[in-house]
Amino acid sequence: HFAPRRDQQCRRRLASKSEAMPEWAPSSWQSKPALQMAEWEDKALASKVLDKLGKLPPLVQASEADRLKQLLAEAGRGERFIVQGGDCAERFMDCEADRLETQLKLILQMGAIVEHVADRPTVRIARIAGQYGKPRSKPTEVVEGYGEIMSFKGDNINGYDPKDRKWDPERLLQGYFHSAATLNFLRSYTAAADPADSLSIKVDGLKASKDFAEISKDAGAIRTKAKGKESQEFFTSHEAMQLDLEEALTRKVGNKYYNLSAHLVWIGDRTRQIDGAHLEYFRGIANPIGVKVGPSMKNDELKELLQILNPNKEEGRIMIITRYGAGKVEQLLPGHIQAVKESGIPVVWQCDAVHGNGIVAASNKYKTRRCEDIVKEVMEVMAVHKRCGSILGGIHLEVTGQETVTECLGGCMGITEKQLETNYETYCDPRLNYAQSIEAAFSVAREAKRARTA
């Protein structure tokens, strides 16, 4: 009998917040507490770097971000499906033509699989050209032989080698130029590439699958019908964590402000505090935005967050990226769906099926994930959305186009704990390799088709 009173209190708080919302500026986040940000020892150097970044040309166009927002609105209505994926954290050393091409091809191919099998147009978003930072649970860590040193926070903050752990603002400039080089290559590649080549799916790694004959047939059909530049369209995204960097790459276009470092940026589960700096920054930019929502998100808190970030109830503006873990969906997602319904604010639901499924291999202590858990979480999320009358708009995975990477367990390749040691590349979280990613895309596409026709 206390619930109605709590709901009334929440509504009053939301109303007072929306009425009292102060003027926004790209720098207004600085008045709020900010988590997960690197602090610069050399303030003069940091100021010089950020001033330079503020004068460099934007990496993307506002009109492209607006188009993505329209496509996300379609996904929110069930007319399109989002395939988002890429590295946990990009590395400067991977800014090479071959690696970038294989990474983009994988995202395009995963989109094409869903489009062909589920018979639904897709929007393809890569974690690329800016996903250089990573949140850490502590700012320092103890490394044998070095003692307590700064934690590795991604290539645009410091180096992975223990000798390079000082937080260095000049790396922000390196991050910008690596992003620019990446985008330049990917744009020119998609402009020149034959769609039949970029959508030529390699199925050799899936021979152990019970569905191999069907997969081979679908892959052939996808290649045969590949044509037109729309199949090559992609968008960029990253977690906007280092807000001084994001502010420097924010530009006024007309009467709106856009973060023109990427088409879509998202707030991590560790930085989405209601009165925090990240929500303050995100509420003022016109880009489509994402918010990671994990088990710690309270239902009332979600309503409040939506009111701050999308008070005008704009379709395609905000993507709720749920990340619970397989087996936890039923306990958490229905309450979040109900909270969104009660808010009256349109959202695009996306399933991050990797971040809630991290484990440590018992035999060798490698951080890993099971392919089966990843697919299972997507299936559980689809089932709950169907039952609750809401729509799953897409998936969000950490993947690599590299065929020989061994970071996640299982899949029809049957990667074992011992095999993790063969080619464990990541400096951050484990990624599905090429074959595991393609297998996951086929599994999700088949389930999406079943869910629509059932």
Side-chain angles (χ1 to χ4, degrees), residues 3-30:
R5 186 180 300 169
R6 269 206 311 272
D7 203 45
Q8 287 167 4
Q9 289 170 345
C10 180
R11 280 200 298 272
R12 280 199 298 272
R13 194 163 70 246
L14 293 181
S16 64
K17 267 188 178 289
S18 60
E19 288 162 13
M21 202 64 85
E23 284 293 307
W24 184 90
S27 61
S28 58
W29 64 270
Q30 295 180 22

Side-chain angles (χ1 to χ4, degrees), residues 71-111:
L71 297 177
L72 293 180
E74 292 175 13
R77 298 191 296 265
E79 299 161 11
R80 192 174 285 272
F81 197 82
I82 305 154
V83 174
Q84 184 172 4
D87 290 317
C88 174
E90 293 176 273
R91 307 182 300 181
F92 290 166
M93 71 168 72
D94 294 333
C95 187
E96 299 175 347
D98 287 349
R99 277 191 172 256
L100 295 175
E101 181 180 326
T102 55
Q103 192 73 336
L104 182 61
K105 278 182 175 178
L106 172 60
I107 303 304
L108 296 177
Q109 288 171 15
M110 291 174 73

